[in-house]
Amino acid sequence: MKRVSLALLALAAAAPLRAQSLLYRPPNLGGTWVPDPGVVQFNFVHRFYVAPGPSHAVVNFPNFTLVAGFGHQVAFGAQFATRSIVGLGNGAQSTNETEVYARWRLHGAEGQPGFAVAVTPAYNVLAKSVDGEVGVDWTQGPLTLHGAARAMSRRLGQSGNGATAFAGGFNARLNPYVGVSADVGSFVSPTVRAAWSAAINFLIPGSPHTFSFHASNATSASIQGASQGIASPKNVLYGFEFTIPLHLKRFSPWFHGSPKPVTLGAPAGASLAAQVDMASIKFTGETVTISAGQAVRWTNRDPLEHTVTFDGAEPGSPPIPPNGSYVHRFDKPGTYTYHCTPHPFMKGTVIVR
Ligand SMILES: [Cu+2]
């Protein structure tokens, strides 16, 4: 048991946070996070309430975020909400709220201890408002605390004057895969309800995806939308968020054909005794038998990365890119079972006599 939890901790410490993780951000705060260069992040928030009988109609509040990393800690993105409370006020012709934004993280990194600071200038198309947020978070062990100061030049839903708002929240990670979070956001001298949320967050093991179940009263995730809560006809919405990082280089086979072959591992002087292909997310030849001192070569025929990760103490491969190979020599007799870390259902065995 202890060994398992140590292994999980090691995994969590080693796994890079290339994706925006809901274990480090509560539902209604953008946080300080920017995607790595070449990564497009797609986050989907869906909230709803159920209308009273007899219709029991489900009324939906979908929100989409699409943001791309451009390097130098800079990201450009947009949020789109189809039923925004921002659009219910003065001057709104629609409830379709679009906010385009940039984010520059001046300091810190997601998942690292200490402070991170980011500025997020934005333009709310529905409100015709120049908005902005300064976000700060602080991580220590299982806890991340968040604060944000917001300003907008033309607040929709009210007189159209400018406004300022503040928000705060936290994430508490119970283990590397499960956490809880909550936040509040409110205009200064509010005439509308403050926004709030509470969530349970999950990292899906072996994947870059996180999701959360939440309760909240905010109808959109924009700077304006996350600063006010819906009051009628319901004041609690339930929902979820799912985060999907798209590594653009993953799509390079669409445009560039097969990538160049590379060989990893490749211990000198090893005689190759077996070849295992990784194809269609399977190890072909699930069991191979060799003699001590001989080597096995794995070749990745899939358009995505795989690993050869041994279940025992034997050191395994780094991520093997498409068209890449990995060669490993086995010096001691034994039965070596292994799997692929991103696809744990991929399994194989090497028997060394
Ligand atoms: Cu795999």
Side-chain angles (χ1 to χ4, degrees):
M1 189 64 206
K2 193 164 178 202
R3 224 178 123 183
V4 171
S5 49
L6 278 177
L8 284 177
L9 276 178
L11 190 72
L17 281 162
R18 292 204 188 115
Q20 181 167 38
S21 174
L22 293 173
L23 293 177
Y24 288 89
R25 176 173 72 76
N28 292 338
L29 278 169
T32 60
W33 175 86
V34 295
D36 283 348
V39 174
V40 173
Q41 180 89 24
F42 176 62
N43 295 351
F44 177 49
V45 177
H46 187 95
R47 290 178 184 159
F48 65 91
Y49 69 81
V50 180
S55 76
H56 299 292
V58 176
V59 180
N60 296 304
F61 297 80
N63 271 265
F64 309 91
T65 301
L66 200 61
V67 56
F70 284 79
H72 306 286
Q73 306 290 324
V74 171
F76 292 95
Q79 316 216 42
F80 180 63
T82 62
R83 192 189 285 268
S84 169
I85 195 173
V86 174
L88 300 176
N90 291 349
Q93 304 294 316
S94 164
T95 61
N96 293 337
E97 182 193 5
T98 302
E99 181 196 76
V100 291
Y101 71 95
R103 180 169 295 145
W104 178 34
R105 184 168 56 205
L106 295 85
H107 182 74
E110 184 181 75
Q112 301 297 313
F115 280 100
V117 181
V119 291
T120 305
Y123 182 72
N124 192 307
V125 177
L126 179 64
K128 297 188 180 67
S129 173
V130 177
D131 298 349
E133 179 178 285
V134 177
V136 178
D137 58 53
W138 176 79
T139 295
Q140 192 63 55
L143 193 67
T144 302
L145 303 177
H146 305 263
R150 299 165 174 163
M152 37 230 102
S153 69
R154 186 172 180 273
R155 181 180 150 202
L156 252 184
Q158 297 294 312
S159 61
N161 294 329
T164 50
F166 289 94
F170 74 92
N171 285 81
R173 289 168 289 279
L174 311 176
N175 66 36
Y177 297 105
V178 182
V180 292
S181 61
D183 57 57
V184 291
S186 174
F187 286 105
V188 176
S189 58
T191 52
V192 292
R193 291 196 180 202
W196 60 267
S197 80
I200 179 161
N201 317 296
F202 302 92
L203 169 66
I204 301 171
S207 87
H209 303 296
T210 58
F211 76 93
S212 64
F213 290 115
H214 35 87
S216 177
N217 65 353
T219 62
S220 92
S222 67
I223 290 170
Q224 296 210 21
S227 302
Q228 61 183 302
I230 192 171
S232 72
K234 291 275 176 164
N235 55 20
V236 183
L237 309 176
Y238 298 96
F240 64 86
E241 177 162 7
F242 189 54
T243 64
I244 306 166
L246 301 165
H247 293 251
L248 294 185
K249 70 175 191 278
R250 235 182 228 186
F251 297 94
S252 66
W254 288 4
F255 308 105
H256 303 298
S258 297
K260 268 188 248 154
V262 293
T263 303
L264 306 163
S271 79
L272 277 177
Q275 161 71 40
V276 177
D277 278 356
M278 306 149 107
S280 306
I281 321 190
K282 267 192 257 168
F283 293 108
T284 64
E286 284 184 4
T287 302
V288 295
T289 305
I290 61 167
S291 300
Q294 292 182 325
V296 177
R297 177 166 62 201
W298 286 265
T299 301
N300 183 0
R301 310 284 183 200
D302 277 336
L304 39 92
E305 287 182 349
H306 294 301
T307 69
V308 173
T309 305
F310 293 99
D311 300 323
E314 191 74 2
S317 78
I320 304 166
N323 224 9
S325 297
Y326 172 66
V327 176
H328 186 77
R329 186 179 69 208
F330 294 84
D331 292 327
K332 286 190 207 129
T335 298
Y336 297 83
T337 59
Y338 62 89
H339 64 276
C340 167
T341 302
H343 314 104
F345 50 87
M346 291 176 65
K347 288 178 177 159
T349 304
V350 178
I351 297 169
V352 182
R353 301 215 188 271

